[in-house]
Amino acid sequence: REKEELAKFAIAPLIEELLPSLDHLEMAISSAKASNEAPALVTGVEMVYSQVRRIFADFGVVPVDADGKEFDPKTEECVAHEASDTIPENQVIKVMRAGYMCNGRLLRPASVVVSSGKKAVK
């Protein structure tokens, strides 16, 4: 059983080192889409991003599903609170940086913005 566990998580340090590169691919896609420049380049970067995500999934590495869900301190890190009249208190408004799990074990928590509830009336 120990060998099985070791094999299951042996890739985790490598994945942790690669996660910033995946973050940078996400930022490049967002930035390029916002500027509406070089659509062929955007398509190419999206293809690389998708391929890396697919390879991660094949090895049991999946993103933490946080967007629009109730804040879970076990898998998410709150980096900010934001008042909202439409989003209930303690619900994730935005994912700032994706979190990842490897075969059910947390590799990196998602960095999220959490609703603090209705805006104060002045």
Side-chain angles (χ1 to χ4, degrees), residues 65-72 76 87 90-93 113-114:
D65 184 21
D67 201 19
K69 306 275 170 98
E70 185 167 332
F71 175 69
D72 181 358
E76 299 153 16
I87 299 173
N90 210 36
Q91 189 169 330
V92 174
I93 294 174
V113 176
V114 177

Side-chain angles (χ1 to χ4, degrees), residues 99-111:
Y100 289 90
M101 306 282 287
C102 178
N103 295 311
R105 184 183 290 171
L106 185 65
L107 284 178
R108 178 177 83 180
S111 297

Side-chain angles (χ1 to χ4, degrees), residues 47-102:
M47 290 170 64
V48 171
Y49 176 76
S50 295
Q51 185 177 27
V52 171
R53 290 281 300 261
R54 195 170 34 256
I55 291 167
F56 278 14
D58 289 347
F59 283 90
V61 179
V62 295
V64 171
D65 184 21
D67 201 19
K69 306 275 170 98
E70 185 167 332
F71 175 69
D72 181 358
K74 294 178 196 153
T75 58
E76 299 153 16
E77 174 183 45
C78 178
V79 294
H81 281 90
E82 193 173 292
S84 173
D85 291 331
T86 57
I87 299 173
E89 185 177 1
N90 210 36
Q91 189 169 330
V92 174
I93 294 174
K94 182 178 181 182
V95 176
M96 302 300 289
R97 185 183 74 174
Y100 289 90
M101 306 282 287
C102 178

